[in-house]
Amino acid sequence: DWQSPAAYEHAQDIAAAGMAWEYLRRDDDYRRAFQRIKALPAPKPGGSKAFSNDGVCDFPVDPAQPACRTVVFWIPELSPDVIELHAALADADDPAVMPISLADLPDLVARLDDDDVWHSFWRPGASSHQFWLPTRPVDGRATYVVILPLDKLLELRVEAVMRLWRAHWSVGPGQVGTDFPQQTRGRHILILRALDGRAAGVSYRKLAEVLLGFRGRKADWENDPRKNQVRRLIADGRYYVRGGYRDPLHYPIRLSDC
């Protein structure tokens, strides 16, 4: 129910990547792609259906599921939070070595794509981490290295690696650099509610009454600044749904400004 703030309560706690999913799941093209892939044969044992959707996510996710109830495997090229790992040889006597048993992490969600690339999503408590390996992880504890592209998103990629390191070694979550300030989060929630209202056939004036507190007659509406404000909410929402959902994935960096 777009009129009920409680229906969007989950958006108060999701990360920026979760907000990106909230926009993507409202995209009609994505919904059609999901319905098409549902008709494909079942994946091989232990795997999952690879998902080609204009380079967004690796596996299909039901658009009926909000961000708080599902896992989205964003492609590494799109999200700086996706960490590339490779197994590496290390001196067992080196005191700096920190072996990890990736496959045994508690509450780990793992998928194999058609090329046997291993994708995983780990959510220990309130934090979440996505990483992948070109092959299945080795059995038991092993040493890994991180591949970091020297690009405009390097700072965010390093933050993601540090959050994973802190989570695994119980150092503490650290600062989540890709999270929204409350004012920005509040506006995104207003945008989602406005989009859902329009999808239900609600007029701009009704949206302004519920979301922005407009009260008045038709003549008042024509000259009220909230008329333009609600139209801007819808325009921004359509931008995010039609591809702009990529922006929250690398918030606060704007690639167009780099």
Side-chain angles (χ1 to χ4, degrees), residues 132-151:
W132 68 279
L133 283 80
T135 60
R136 294 173 183 260
V138 299
D139 293 332
R141 293 161 64 83
T143 303
Y144 296 90
V145 295
V146 177
I147 306 299
L148 287 175
L150 293 175
D151 59 12

Side-chain angles (χ1 to χ4, degrees), residues 116-139:
D116 283 336
V117 175
W118 192 77
H119 304 261
S120 59
F121 191 96
W122 183 41
R123 184 176 287 162
S127 63
S128 59
H129 313 272
Q130 184 184 338
F131 44 93
W132 68 279
L133 283 80
T135 60
R136 294 173 183 260
V138 299
D139 293 332

Side-chain angles (χ1 to χ4, degrees), residues 8-240:
Y8 298 81
E9 191 67 28
H10 69 280
Q12 295 287 354
D13 300 317
I14 58 177
M19 195 68 73
W21 167 245
E22 289 296 326
Y23 286 115
L24 175 57
R25 75 188 187 96
R26 288 167 168 82
D27 179 24
D28 289 338
D29 288 339
Y30 178 88
R31 290 172 176 268
R32 285 190 288 267
F34 179 79
Q35 292 301 322
R36 286 196 299 270
I37 202 168
K38 281 180 61 179
L40 296 178
K44 57 188 176 183
S48 185
K49 297 177 183 178
F51 190 29
S52 176
N53 185 55
D54 298 329
V56 175
C57 50
D58 286 306
F59 302 99
V61 184
D62 187 349
Q65 297 298 321
C68 61
R69 297 179 184 171
T70 192
V71 170
V72 180
F73 286 90
W74 300 103
I75 64 170
E77 296 83 1
L78 187 61
S79 172
D81 284 346
V82 183
I83 302 169
E84 180 180 354
L85 299 176
H86 287 252
L89 295 176
D91 183 356
D93 296 326
D94 186 344
V97 169
M98 302 173 73
I100 305 173
S101 182
L102 288 179
D104 295 327
L105 291 174
D107 301 318
L108 183 77
V109 179
R111 299 282 188 272
L112 280 175
D113 66 20
D114 290 339
D115 297 320
D116 283 336
V117 175
W118 192 77
H119 304 261
S120 59
F121 191 96
W122 183 41
R123 184 176 287 162
S127 63
S128 59
H129 313 272
Q130 184 184 338
F131 44 93
W132 68 279
L133 283 80
T135 60
R136 294 173 183 260
V138 299
D139 293 332
R141 293 161 64 83
T143 303
Y144 296 90
V145 295
V146 177
I147 306 299
L148 287 175
L150 293 175
D151 59 12
K152 296 175 182 178
L153 301 177
L154 177 64
E155 183 177 2
L156 299 183
R157 299 185 194 280
V158 171
E159 288 180 357
V161 172
M162 289 304 301
R163 289 198 302 274
L164 175 62
W165 181 84
R166 287 174 174 272
H168 184 267
W169 297 104
S170 302
V171 179
Q175 181 180 359
V176 181
T178 54
D179 201 5
F180 291 128
Q182 191 57 41
Q183 183 177 1
T184 302
R185 180 180 299 277
R187 177 170 173 77
H188 277 294
I189 293 174
L190 272 183
I191 291 173
L192 293 175
R193 294 177 65 187
L195 284 173
D196 293 344
R198 283 298 287 173
V202 176
S203 68
Y204 286 104
R205 181 176 170 182
K206 180 64 174 178
L207 290 176
E209 289 175 354
V210 175
L211 301 180
L212 304 177
F214 171 75
R215 297 291 183 272
R217 299 170 299 177
K218 181 177 181 180
D220 301 321
W221 170 243
E222 293 301 323
N223 298 306
D224 194 285
R226 282 164 289 197
K227 179 178 181 180
N228 288 330
Q229 291 173 16
V230 77
R231 289 181 179 274
R232 173 52 58 188
L233 289 176
I234 294 297
D236 289 349
R238 288 172 176 164
Y239 162 77
Y240 284 117

